[in-house]
Amino acid sequence: MIGHVVNRPEDVVREALEGLQILHPEMLSYHRDPLFVTRTVVARDKVVLVSGGGAGHEPLHAEFVGSGMLDAAVPGSVFASPTAFQIRAAVNAVETGRGALLIVKNYTGDKLNFSIAAELLGTERQVEIVMVDDDLATTTADEGGPGRRGTAAVIAVEKICGAAAERHWALSEIADLGRRVVAASATLGAAFRSCTAPGQDRPSFELAPGEMEFGIGIHGERGRETRPTVPAAELVAQLSEPILDAVGVERGDGVIAIVNGLGATHGLELSIATAELKSFLGDAGIGLDRVIAGSFVTALDMHGLSITLLRSTEEFLDLWDATVRTPALAW
Amino acid sequence: MIGHVVNRPEDVVREALEGLQILHPEMLSYHRDPLFVTRTVVARDKVVLVSGGGAGHEPLHAEFVGSGMLDAAVPGSVFASPTAFQIRAAVNAVETGRGALLIVKNYTGDKLNFSIAAELLGTERQVEIVMVDDDLATTTADEGGPGRRGTAAVIAVEKICGAAAERHWALSEIADLGRRVVAASATLGAAFRSCTAPGQDRPSFELAPGEMEFGIGIHGERGRETRPTVPAAELVAQLSEPILDAVGVERGDGVIAIVNGLGATHGLELSIATAELKSFLGDAGIGLDRVIAGSFVTALDMHGLSITLLRSTEEFLDLWDATVRTPALAW
C-alpha cells in the first residue's frame, strides 16, 4: 500500500465523512446516498447556503458547515465535481422556502453540475448561483475560455454571505453581496512541492531544491511559471502586489486577508507569512483589518501557500465579525 | 533560499510568534526578551500552568495558551529546549500566588532546564513539575536512561489540568491529577515521510515508497523500525493495540483519543484514521468516549500520525468537557 493514511483510494471521501461525523456529531450530519453533509440542527426560515466541489481541499467545504456559514456541502471524488443529483438532494434536504444560494468555484465540472442542479431545482425552489473566480494566476481574457479558477476567496464568500443569511437577508440581496465579495477579492499562490494523490507514490510534478512553482492552483497542476525560491518577505510581496493591483487597493485602504496553507505547510510558516503580510501592507500604507491563517483550502498535501485579499468595506467587516461556529472556523 | 516560507532559519521562532500575536491579539501576548507567550488577559487567583519546549511542534505549546488551558508557553529554538531563564521569567509574569504547574515533555534538555527553573523559582514561588512520557516507542527500562519521550499526551495533560486550575483546585491536587493523566495514557506514531528542517533541502531520513517508519518521535529521528505501509485500518490497529495493552484498557472501558497529524498529514487522512479508530475500538468492545483530530503536536512537516489514548474516568471526562478557548483548541 501507498504512503497515506487511506484504505482504498475510491473510499477516501466516504470514510473521511464518517470520521468527520464522529468528530463533530453536534455540528455535522452526513447523508450517504447521495453523498452530502448538512448541519445537524438545520436552520429554519432563512436562505440556505450550499457549496461543494471536488474533495482533496479539506477542510473545504464540509468543515465550513455550521451556524453562520454553510447549511450543506456536497463533495465529489478527489478533484472531481459532485453530480447535479447530489447537489439537488442537498438543497432539498435543507431548503426552508426562503431560497438557496449555491456558492461555486469556477471550474468546468462544478459550473456545469451546479447549473444543472439549479435548473432542476428551478421549478421547485428559488435558487441563485455565486461563481467564485479569484485566482489571479489564471485569466479571464480568453473569450470562451473557462475563466479564472476559484480558490480561497470562497471562504470569504461563505463567511460573509453566511452571516447575512443568519440576519435573514433575502436571497437576491445575499447573491448580490456574494458577487461584491468576489469582485473585491483575489488570490495568488506558490508551492515548494506538489501534491501526491492517494494511490500514487510521486507528486503530480517535480520541483528541484531552490525552485518554487508560482501561480499554483489547487489540483496539482503546474502554475504560471517556475521561479527561484525567495525568503518569506519577498514571497509575500510577490504574491500580494499583483493582488493589490487587481483588486484596486490603495494607500489608506484596508483588507481582510486569508493566509492559506495548501496542505503540508507548517503553522510556523503560516505565522511567518502573516507577520510579513502585515509588514508589507504597513509599508504600503494599507491596513490589515482582519486576518486568518490556516490550511483552509488545500490541494491534498501540497507544500505552499496562497494569499487572498478582500478590500474592506464597513459592511464586509461587520459581517466577517459575526459569530461563526463550524468545525474549521469559529469565533 | 530554501523550500519553506521562512526568512533566516534563526529568526523562525521569533517571527512566527509575531505572526501569532497578529492573528490572536485578544488571546496571546508575546514577550520578546526573554521569549515567552502569555494570555493577553492574565488569570487571577488560580494555579498557573506553564509549558514549553523546542519549536517545530506548533501549534504546541503557544496556541494552547488561553482560558481553560495554559497560562504561558516558553518556546526554544527549533527542536531545542528553552532556557531556565526564559521559563523563570514566564512563570514570574503570570504567577498569582497560588503556585505554578510546569508541564514538561520528557527530553533531556527540557527536563534539565525546567528543573533548574523550578529550583530558581523555589524560594519565591510554589512550583510542581508534571513530566509527560507517553511515547511507547521508547522505553523506561534502561536504568539511568532518558526514559520515554513526551509527545501528544501533553495535550490531554494541559487540557485536563487547565480545567482543574480554572476550578481553583490547589497546586498539589492539579499536579497529582496531571500525573494520573500521564499514567493512564500512551502514544504511538508512524510516518511516511520525515521532516525537512528550515534551511535544509532534504528530509532528516529517507523512506522508499511502500515503507513507513514505525514508532516515530517528533524530532525527525528514525523510529523503532521500518515497516511496509499498510491500509489505514491496519495502521490504526498497529498503533492502537500496544497502547491498549500498555494503558490497561479492557473490554467495557472507554477512552479519550487524540488523532494527531505530525505536520503534513491531510485532513482527509486524519478523518479516515478517526473512523478506523472508532471501528477498531468498537470491535474490541471499547468506547470512544471523546476524540479530537488535528495537527496538534507536529514534527515540522513530517507526514504521518500518532494516536494517543487516555483511559477514561468520570473525572477526566468532566474536566475534558470543560470550556476551553485557545487558538488551537476551543469548545
Side-chain angles (χ1 to χ4, degrees):
Chain A
M1 273 298 292
I2 42 200
H4 290 90
V5 187
V6 297
N7 294 299
R8 299 187 311 165
E10 58 270 36
D11 296 331
V12 161
V13 176
R14 188 185 51 77
E15 289 179 347
L17 291 180
E18 274 174 26
L20 272 189
Q21 192 171 263
I22 293 165
L23 288 162
H24 307 287
E26 75 297 344
M27 286 202 223
L28 300 184
S29 285
Y30 136 61
H31 190 273
R32 277 155 193 79
D33 189 18
L35 210 59
F36 60 82
V37 174
T38 68
R39 300 188 193 180
T40 297
V41 181
V42 297
R44 290 203 213 178
D45 191 33
K46 68 178 264 299
V47 170
V48 293
L49 270 58
V50 177
S51 192
H57 308 304
E58 289 67 19
L60 194 74
H61 292 274
E63 290 171 68
F64 296 106
V65 170
S67 168
M69 224 160 155
L70 297 179
D71 294 274
V74 194
S77 302
V78 171
F79 294 171
S81 172
T83 66
F85 179 67
Q86 276 175 273
I87 299 161
R88 184 178 65 169
V91 171
N92 281 330
V94 295
E95 216 265 323
T96 71
R98 300 283 310 273
L101 184 72
L102 309 185
I103 299 172
V104 185
K105 303 193 298 306
N106 187 32
Y107 297 100
T108 308
D110 289 329
K111 196 172 167 178
L112 182 71
N113 286 299
F114 276 90
S115 299
I116 294 173
E119 225 167 278
L120 293 173
L121 286 160
T123 55
E124 319 152 37
R125 313 274 188 189
Q126 213 192 335
V127 177
E128 292 249 22
I129 290 180
V130 168
M131 194 66 63
V132 182
D133 62 346
D134 53 311
D135 184 358
L136 278 189
T138 45
T139 177
T140 50
D142 291 350
E143 199 65 54
R148 283 194 341 204
R149 297 180 293 218
T151 57
V154 74
I155 301 297
V157 176
E158 293 178 2
K159 171 67 188 80
I160 288 172
C161 292
E166 302 289 348
R167 291 181 188 176
H168 299 284
W169 290 30
L171 176 60
S172 62
E173 295 167 337
I174 301 173
D176 184 60
L177 172 72
R179 288 170 197 134
R180 279 183 279 126
V181 173
V182 173
S185 61
T187 298
L188 206 49
F192 302 112
R193 190 181 60 238
S194 190
C195 54
T196 304
Q200 305 294 314
D201 58 21
R202 290 263 148 225
S204 62
F205 60 86
E206 295 285 347
L207 288 165
E211 286 181 352
M212 66 176 179
E213 192 71 4
F214 190 84
I216 202 79
I218 55 174
H219 295 92
E221 68 276 48
R222 280 267 175 193
R224 203 160 57 178
E225 58 182 317
T226 305
R227 294 185 181 181
T229 58
V230 290
E234 170 61 19
L235 177 57
V236 166
Q238 286 187 16
L239 294 172
S240 302
E241 262 166 11
I243 302 175
L244 296 178
D245 282 353
V247 178
V249 177
E250 292 174 3
R251 184 169 290 272
D253 290 343
V255 296
I256 298 171
I258 301 170
V259 177
N260 177 56
L262 289 168
T265 315
H266 199 259
L268 279 173
E269 297 176 280
L270 298 178
S271 296
I272 289 171
T274 302
E276 291 299 345
L277 180 63
K278 182 167 173 91
S279 157
F280 170 81
L281 293 172
D283 290 348
I286 294 161
L288 182 58
D289 292 333
R290 302 290 185 277
V291 58
I292 56 174
S295 292
F296 301 116
V297 180
T298 62
L300 292 169
D301 59 352
M302 178 173 276
H303 180 191
L305 87 167
S306 66
I307 291 178
T308 300
L309 302 179
L310 166 62
R311 198 175 60 244
S312 298
T313 65
E314 274 182 43
E315 177 185 58
F316 291 165
L317 290 169
D318 179 47
L319 292 163
W320 181 265
D321 289 342
T323 300
V324 59
R325 295 300 301 263
T326 73
L329 206 65
W331 57 70
Chain B
M1 273 297 293
I2 42 204
H4 290 89
V5 187
V6 297
N7 293 298
R8 299 187 310 166
E10 58 269 38
D11 297 331
V12 161
V13 177
R14 188 185 52 75
E15 290 180 345
L17 291 179
E18 274 174 26
L20 272 190
Q21 192 171 261
I22 292 165
L23 288 163
H24 307 287
E26 75 298 346
M27 288 203 221
L28 301 184
S29 286
Y30 136 61
H31 190 273
R32 276 155 194 79
D33 188 20
L35 210 58
F36 59 84
V37 174
T38 68
R39 298 187 195 184
T40 298
V41 181
V42 296
R44 292 202 214 177
D45 190 33
K46 68 179 264 300
V47 171
V48 294
L49 270 58
V50 177
S51 191
H57 307 303
E58 289 69 17
L60 195 73
H61 292 276
E63 291 171 66
F64 296 105
V65 170
S67 169
M69 225 162 152
L70 298 179
D71 295 275
V74 194
S77 303
V78 172
F79 295 170
S81 173
T83 66
F85 178 67
Q86 276 174 273
I87 299 160
R88 183 177 65 169
V91 172
N92 281 330
V94 295
E95 216 267 321
T96 72
R98 300 283 310 273
L101 183 73
L102 308 185
I103 299 171
V104 184
K105 299 191 301 306
N106 187 33
Y107 298 99
T108 308
D110 288 330
K111 195 171 170 178
L112 182 72
N113 285 297
F114 276 89
S115 300
I116 295 172
E119 226 167 276
L120 293 172
L121 285 160
T123 55
E124 320 151 35
R125 314 274 187 188
Q126 214 191 334
V127 176
E128 292 250 22
I129 290 180
V130 169
M131 196 65 65
V132 182
D133 63 346
D134 53 313
D135 184 0
L136 278 190
T138 45
T139 177
T140 50
D142 290 353
E143 199 65 54
R148 285 196 336 205
R149 298 179 293 217
T151 57
V154 73
I155 300 297
V157 177
E158 294 179 0
K159 171 67 189 80
I160 288 172
C161 291
E166 302 289 347
R167 292 180 187 176
H168 300 283
W169 289 30
L171 176 60
S172 62
E173 294 167 336
I174 301 173
D176 184 59
L177 172 71
R179 286 169 199 135
R180 279 184 278 125
V181 173
V182 172
S185 60
T187 299
L188 206 50
F192 303 111
R193 191 181 60 238
S194 189
C195 54
T196 305
Q200 305 295 314
D201 58 22
R202 289 261 149 228
S204 62
F205 60 84
E206 296 284 346
L207 287 166
E211 287 180 354
M212 67 175 180
E213 193 72 3
F214 191 85
I216 203 77
I218 55 172
H219 295 93
E221 68 275 48
R222 279 269 176 193
R224 204 161 56 179
E225 58 181 317
T226 305
R227 295 186 181 181
T229 57
V230 289
E234 169 63 20
L235 176 58
V236 166
Q238 287 188 17
L239 294 172
S240 303
E241 261 164 13
I243 302 175
L244 295 178
D245 282 352
V247 177
V249 177
E250 291 174 2
R251 185 169 286 271
D253 289 343
V255 296
I256 298 171
I258 301 171
V259 177
N260 178 55
L262 289 168
T265 315
H266 200 259
L268 279 173
E269 296 176 279
L270 299 177
S271 295
I272 289 170
T274 302
E276 290 299 346
L277 180 62
K278 182 167 174 90
S279 155
F280 170 82
L281 292 172
D283 289 347
I286 293 160
L288 182 58
D289 292 333
R290 303 288 185 279
V291 56
I292 56 173
S295 292
F296 301 117
V297 180
T298 62
L300 291 170
D301 58 354
M302 178 173 277
H303 181 192
L305 88 167
S306 66
I307 291 177
T308 301
L309 302 179
L310 165 63
R311 197 176 58 242
S312 300
T313 65
E314 272 183 43
E315 177 184 57
F316 291 164
L317 289 169
D318 179 48
L319 293 162
W320 180 265
D321 289 343
T323 300
V324 58
R325 294 300 302 261
T326 73
L329 207 65
W331 56 69

